[in-house]
Amino acid sequence: MALTLPMADAATTVGSPALNIGIFAAFVVVTLVIVIRVAAGKKTAEQYYTAAGAFNGRQNGIAIAGDYLSAASFLGIAGAIALQGYDGFLYSIGFLVAWLVALLLVAELLRNTGRFTMADVLSYRLKQRPVRIATAISVIAVSFFYLLAQMAGAGGLVSLLLGISGEFAQDLVIAIVGVIMIAYVLIGGMKGTTWVQIIKAILLIAGTAVITVWVLGKYGFNPSSLFQAAADNSPKAGEKLFEPGLKYGKNLTTKIDFISLSMALVLGTAGLPHVLQRFYTVPTSKQARKSVEWAIWLIGGFYLLTLVVGYGAAALVGPDTINAAPGKANAAAPLLAYELGGSVLLGIISGVAFATILAVVAGLTITTSATFAHDLYKEVFKRGQGSQEQEVRVARIAAIVIGVVAIVGGIFAKSQNIAFLVALAFAVAASANLPTILYSLFWKGFNTRGALFSIYGGLISAIGLIIFSPVVSGKPPLEPGGPSQSMIQNTAIDFHWFPLDNPGLVSIPLAFFLGWLGSVTSKEHNAAKYAEMEVRSLTGHGVGAAVDH
C-alpha cells in the first residue's frame, strides 16, 4: 500500500522525531566512547594524520567505503533511481568505475611515494613551496565544497527525518553536527575518525540490506514483479524507467552533459584528497591496494542494493509522494523505510543518514587540517623546521576553525541549490588534482611550471565554468534525482553562458593540456629526482621516511 500522507504536513507526520533523535544520539554516544577508548591522548603528527599506519587493508577498505558513501550520494541515488530509473542508476556506475582508476593508477604508487598528504607526492621532485601552496589551495577548495554540501544536506534532511522545519531548529542541527565532528577529530585524530567511518559503513550497508530484502520479500523475491510494480506506480515514466534517456536523453545538450558528468565522477574520485589520505593509514602499499579492493566490493555491493531501494520506493511510495516531500528525491529512501517498517525503521535510517554525514565531514575536516598544518604551516611557513608538537597543535586549531566555517557555511547554504557544490568537488578534483598526480608519477618531463599550470588552470576553469553554468543561474527548478540536496532555484537572474551543468568535459582536458604546456615551456628538469621517485613509487623503498627537500 502506498503512502497517503498529506505532504504539506509530511515533515511533522512521518515517523517519530523523538525516536529518530534517540537513535542518532545513541550512535554519537557509542562512537564517542569508542573514539575515546581507542584514540584519545597525545599524538605525534603521524598518529594524528594517518593513525601511524595502524589499519590493515580490510579495515581501511571498510573505512574508505564509509568515507565515500556520503548521505548525499546514498539518499540522492536511491531517489534518482526511483524517479529517473536507468539514468539514475548511472550515477552508481560512475561512482563505482571511478575506483578502478584509483586502484590501477593511484593507490599503491601514492602510498609508496608520500607520507601524510597529497602534496607530499606532487612536490616530491618539484619546487616545494609553490607546488605545496597550489596543492593546498586545491585541496581546501575540494574539501570546502564537499564539506559545505554535507553540512547543508544535514539541515535539509531535518525537515523530513526529525519533523522540524523552523530556521532556528535546522541551524541548531547543523551546529550540533559540526560540534560533534570537531570532537571526533580533536579527540581521535585519524584513528578515531577511521573507527567512526568503519562503524558507519557497517550500519549503512546493513540498513540498506535490510530494506532491500524487505522490498524483495514483498514481491516474492522476484525482481521482475518489483520492476513492473515500479513502472505501474510511475504513470508519467512507465516503462521508460528501464530505458536510457529519461533524464539525459532529451536533447544533445543533456547527452553531452552526461558525458561531462561521467568524466568528473570517474576521474574525480582518484583526486579527492580525503580519499587519497586514507592510503597512508595502512602500513604497506600491498595493504593500500587491498583496501581499495575491499572498497570496490563494498561500494559495488551497496550500489546494487540501492537499485532495489530505488525501484522499491517507486513501487511502494510513488514519484508524486516523493516529489511532494521535503527534500524531494532525497526523501525516497526514508519514505520507503517508513512504508515498510513504520517509525522504527525510519528512525534507524534517519540515524544512519546523520551518522553518514558525521563520518564524512570528520574525514574531510582531518584532511583539510592536515593540509593547513603539514603543507602550509610546516613546509611553507616554517620551511620544514617546525616541531611535531607545533604541527599537531596547528592541526587541532585548524580543525576547530574549519568546523566553525563549515557550520556557518552550512547554515547559509541550507536553503539554496547546492548541486553545484557536489559538482565542483568532483570537477575540481578531476581537473586540478588528478592530472598533476598522473604527470608526477608517470612523466619524467613534468616540472614545477607544469604543476602550477595544471593545478591553477584546472581549479580556475572548473569553478569559473560552474559559476557561469545553468546550475547556478537561469535554470528552472532542478529535476529531482541528482546526488545532492536541492532546495531552491533562483530563476530571477540569468548570467550563464556555459551550456553544461558540469564542466568536466572542458576543464579536465584543459588541465592535462596546461600541465603539458607548462612543462614543455620550462627548462627545469631533475632527472635524478625523477629516477628516485620512480624507484620509490614502484618498490616502496624509503616509505615512512621524511619527504626530502
Side-chain angles (χ1 to χ4, degrees):
M1 182 179 71
L3 269 170
T4 57
L5 294 167
M7 281 298 107
D9 300 323
T12 57
T13 57
V14 176
S16 168
L19 181 63
N20 299 345
I21 294 172
I23 293 174
F24 177 56
F27 170 84
V28 171
V29 171
V30 170
T31 51
L32 276 177
V33 170
I34 292 174
V35 166
I36 292 171
R37 287 183 63 89
V38 304
K42 189 176 180 180
K43 296 174 180 63
T44 63
E46 189 175 18
Q47 290 169 334
Y48 186 81
Y49 298 144
T50 65
F55 294 94
N56 58 39
R58 181 182 68 254
Q59 292 171 327
N60 196 46
I62 298 172
I64 287 175
D67 213 358
Y68 191 66
L69 297 172
S70 68
S73 64
F74 160 49
L75 298 175
I77 286 175
I81 295 170
L83 299 174
Q84 307 295 342
Y86 182 94
D87 282 14
F89 188 58
L90 292 176
Y91 279 109
S92 301
I93 302 300
F95 285 132
L96 179 59
V97 171
W99 281 103
L100 296 179
V101 178
L103 175 64
L104 298 176
L105 296 178
V106 174
E108 189 171 353
L109 301 181
L110 200 74
R111 174 63 185 82
N112 281 344
T113 309
R115 188 184 183 198
F116 293 147
T117 65
M118 184 176 70
D120 288 343
V121 178
L122 302 188
S123 63
Y124 189 88
R125 60 189 178 97
L126 308 177
K127 295 178 181 177
Q128 289 282 314
R129 287 168 61 81
V131 174
R132 282 190 182 274
I133 292 172
T135 304
I137 292 172
S138 175
V139 167
I140 292 168
V142 174
S143 299
F144 178 73
F145 294 130
Y146 215 113
L147 188 60
L148 201 59
Q150 295 298 316
M151 297 296 288
L157 288 174
V158 168
S159 298
L160 183 72
L161 301 183
L162 300 185
I164 51 179
S165 56
E167 291 288 319
F168 176 76
Q170 293 189 43
D171 295 349
L172 182 61
V173 170
I174 292 175
I176 291 172
V177 170
V179 170
I180 297 171
M181 164 194 76
I182 293 171
Y184 283 144
V185 173
L186 293 184
I187 297 171
M190 179 58 84
K191 189 172 184 180
T193 301
T194 300
W195 278 110
V196 172
Q197 290 163 343
I198 290 172
I199 296 168
K200 167 254 166 166
I202 294 172
L203 289 176
L204 179 62
I205 295 172
T208 309
V210 168
I211 294 178
T212 300
V213 173
W214 204 323
V215 168
L216 290 174
K218 278 186 169 290
Y219 295 95
F221 292 95
N222 184 347
S224 297
S225 299
L226 167 63
F227 295 152
Q228 188 59 53
D232 293 342
N233 203 29
S234 304
K236 292 182 181 179
E239 298 294 330
K240 291 182 179 179
L241 281 175
F242 316 113
E243 302 171 2
L246 187 58
K247 181 176 183 180
Y248 292 110
K250 295 178 179 178
N251 51 52
L252 181 60
T253 300
T254 59
K255 293 178 181 178
I256 296 175
D257 197 38
F258 173 68
I259 296 173
S260 187
L261 174 66
S262 300
M263 290 179 64
L265 295 182
V266 171
L267 299 177
T269 297
L272 290 175
H274 66 291
V275 171
L276 297 179
Q277 191 164 339
R278 294 229 58 86
F279 297 146
Y280 299 126
T281 62
V282 290
T284 65
S285 60
K286 181 179 179 180
Q287 292 297 314
R289 186 170 64 248
K290 185 178 179 181
S291 65
V292 178
E293 293 169 359
W294 269 90
I296 289 174
W297 282 107
L298 291 171
I299 294 169
F302 174 80
Y303 284 141
L304 286 177
L305 299 180
T306 61
L307 186 64
V308 176
V309 173
Y311 281 118
L316 294 170
V317 180
D320 293 340
T321 303
I322 294 171
N323 279 323
K328 298 185 182 299
N330 291 311
L335 287 174
L336 176 61
Y338 182 75
E339 174 68 20
L340 293 172
S343 297
V344 174
L345 188 57
L346 175 64
I348 293 172
I349 296 303
S350 301
V352 168
F354 278 100
T356 297
I357 292 172
L358 269 178
V360 174
V361 295
L364 288 164
T365 301
I366 199 165
T367 297
T368 314
S369 67
T371 295
F372 269 108
H374 180 66
D375 296 326
L376 293 180
Y377 172 76
K378 182 181 179 181
E379 301 296 344
V380 174
F381 301 141
K382 290 290 187 179
R383 299 181 182 272
Q385 301 303 312
S387 67
Q388 286 206 3
E389 290 78 10
Q390 292 174 320
E391 191 176 343
V392 172
R393 185 167 63 252
V394 170
R396 291 177 184 273
I397 295 172
I400 296 173
V401 174
I402 293 162
V404 172
V405 171
I407 291 170
V408 175
I411 289 173
F412 278 106
K414 71 177 184 300
S415 297
Q416 302 300 317
N417 169 15
I418 61 170
F420 71 98
L421 295 176
V422 174
L424 265 178
F426 277 88
V428 172
S431 303
N433 296 346
L434 186 64
T436 315
I437 291 172
L438 296 182
Y439 278 145
S440 295
L441 292 173
F442 298 108
W443 183 25
K444 65 180 179 180
F446 193 55
N447 55 37
T448 301
R449 180 183 292 178
L452 298 181
F453 275 30
S454 179
I455 294 172
Y456 287 127
L459 180 65
I460 294 171
S461 63
I463 294 178
L465 291 176
I466 278 285
I467 290 174
F468 294 104
S469 75
V471 81
V472 173
S473 73
K475 190 175 184 180
L478 281 180
E479 299 172 27
S484 63
Q485 185 78 2
S486 179
M487 301 297 179
I488 297 173
Q489 287 72 41
N490 186 354
T491 56
I493 57 174
D494 181 3
F495 51 83
H496 89 276
W497 51 263
F498 183 66
L500 305 180
D501 284 358
N502 193 286
L505 189 63
V506 175
S507 61
I508 297 171
L510 178 62
F512 275 104
F513 170 75
L514 290 174
W516 170 82
L517 180 66
S519 297
V520 298
T521 57
S522 171
K523 296 181 179 180
E524 177 194 352
H525 180 61
N526 191 334
K529 198 67 175 176
Y530 172 74
E532 179 185 329
M533 181 176 180
E534 186 176 35
V535 171
R536 180 166 174 167
S537 66
L538 294 174
T539 66
H541 178 72
V543 172
V547 178
D548 295 329
H549 300 284

